[in-house]
Structures are given as C-alpha cells and as structure tokens.
Amino acid sequence: MARRTGLREQKKQATRKALREAALRLALERGPDNVRVDDIAEAAGVSPRTYNNYFASREQAIVAAVTAERESRVAEAVAARPPSVRLADAVIDAIVEQYTDPGEEHAAALLMITTRPALREAFVDAPASMELPLAAAIAARLAARREGGEAADAARDSGADRDDAGSDDGDREHTARVLAAAVAAAVRVAIDRWVGRPGAASASGLVVPSGSLPGLLRASLAPLVPALDAAER
C-alpha cells in the first residue's frame, strides 16, 4: 500500500512539473496573453480538467515553473544549518540565499513575470507555498534544540514526569506553523515591494526597484527575529 501511495504521489508530481514547464514554454513562445489553459493541458498531455486539479490559472502555472522548487529549497537550507546556528539566522539566510539566486535559465521568465500585472500578482502570492515545508524544518530544529537541552540536564531530570511530552510536541508544531506563516507573509511583503516599485529591467532580466531584494527581505523579516529567538528558549 505504501509503495502504491508513493507511486501515485510521484505521478502527481510529474504531472504538476509537466504542466508548469509547458505553461512557461508556451508563454515565452507566444506571450502569456496568447496561451489558454487548453493549450497548456494539451502540451502536457492531460485534459483541461486535470489541469484544474493542479493550478487555478495559467498565471499560477507559469509562475510555478520559476518558483516551484524554491520553497522546498528554503526548508532544506534551514534544516541543513548546523544546530549551533541561531534559528533566526538560519531562516533569514536561507530565504535571502534562495530568493536572490534565480539562475540564468530563469532570466527571461522573470522579465516576463515582472512586467505583466497578472503574473506579478501570482509571483507575489507564491511564497505562501513555503509555509508547510518551512514549518516542518523549524519544528525539527526546535525538537533538536530541546533534545540537546534535555541531554545536558539528564541527571537532574532523570526522575521527572514526561507525561507532557505529547503536549510539548503539539505546542512545538503549532509554534512552527505560526512562525512559518509569519515568515511567508513577510517574504510576500518584500516581494510585493520589490516588483511593485517603479524600476528598470536589468541585464539579468530582473526588475530592479530602488532597493535590493536582499535588503527588502531582511527588512521584512527583521521584526520576526524576537519571535524566532523566543521559540528556541
């Protein structure tokens, strides 16, 4: 049963990837206004009904071709930071790193996205998809930090009642979800400011406002540092 579930999930991921890649390819070839959902579905070898199970609009699919892997990479980067690294630093550094290195292959796509209002709107909304993977990474770091503290106090706590362990786990997961949602919202604010300000297209294909994206990200995330620090205490 587990194998069947795994194969089904792999097929869904493959379909999602085929749809977003088809959407971006057609948008770059024809211009996004000349691409229909039916065109994307046909190019990906699925029905329009199947398309609607994965994406709510053509703009969402086009943007996903650029952003789909980024949210999971943020979570992976947070998880990969050494336990000694402060949670706030791990989260902020991971986000700045992943959001400011789009890769040369996405230069044309980003130029298209940042110069069209409907695509910009979908691009601004994209950070919401980081919430669940980031919450899992934060919860894992909080658990590791707590386990480390318990190991240091093992002698003192050897006779303590641990009936509250399940409650602690639930509280930690709740805290991680709240923090991840706040981080995603802060990133959305930074992206909105970045693509919403007047600016010119750079040689790399990015729209550059008055203020760098790394700076905007750090400024938007700065108010969350006390909460991230508190979660580790």
Side-chain angles (χ1 to χ4, degrees):
M1 183 64 180
R3 178 177 175 78
R4 185 178 302 173
T5 301
L7 291 174
R8 187 183 303 119
E9 183 60 28
Q10 288 177 20
K11 183 176 180 181
K12 288 172 62 176
Q13 292 299 325
T15 299
R16 184 183 298 275
K17 182 178 181 181
L19 285 168
R20 66 183 186 240
E21 289 181 349
L24 179 59
R25 184 177 68 254
L26 292 174
L28 288 172
E29 290 174 356
R30 307 177 184 179
D33 294 338
N34 298 316
V35 178
R36 302 175 305 158
V37 166
D38 287 3
D39 298 329
I40 300 170
E42 181 180 357
V46 301
S47 69
R49 181 177 179 180
T50 296
Y51 176 96
N52 291 328
N53 289 334
Y54 290 87
F55 297 106
S57 66
R58 68 183 176 188
E59 288 80 14
Q60 190 180 76
I62 292 168
V63 168
V66 176
T67 65
E69 307 299 330
R70 184 176 58 195
E71 284 70 29
S72 61
R73 290 201 304 268
V74 167
E76 290 167 2
V78 170
R81 296 302 197 269
S84 59
V85 173
R86 178 183 174 208
L87 177 61
D89 291 336
V91 170
I92 293 173
D93 289 348
I95 287 172
V96 171
E97 175 185 298
Q98 296 301 325
Y99 273 79
T100 57
D101 184 19
E104 287 298 320
E105 72 275 15
H106 289 147
L110 283 168
L111 177 59
M112 177 178 65
I113 288 169
T114 54
T115 54
R116 288 171 169 79
L119 288 173
R120 286 204 305 268
E121 184 176 348
F123 187 62
V124 167
D125 289 339
S129 61
M130 82 161 63
E131 182 179 333
L132 290 180
L134 179 58
I138 291 174
R141 287 187 69 91
L142 294 180
R145 177 63 62 91
R146 180 185 175 194
E147 289 169 3
E150 288 178 345
D153 297 332
R156 185 190 66 192
D157 297 340
S158 59
D161 183 359
R162 303 307 301 162
D163 289 342
D164 62 345
S167 175
D168 288 345
D169 289 344
D171 290 345
R172 182 166 56 246
E173 291 177 3
H174 176 74
T175 297
R177 282 293 302 273
V178 170
L179 291 173
V183 168
V187 172
R188 186 187 188 283
V189 169
I191 297 294
D192 187 38
R193 293 180 65 195
W194 184 61
V195 300
R197 291 179 178 181
S202 72
S204 66
L206 302 180
V207 171
V208 182
S210 55
S212 69
L213 179 55
L216 290 171
L217 287 167
R218 291 188 182 278
S220 291
L221 290 164
L224 302 182
V225 170
L228 290 164
D229 285 344
E232 291 191 293
R233 290 197 286 267

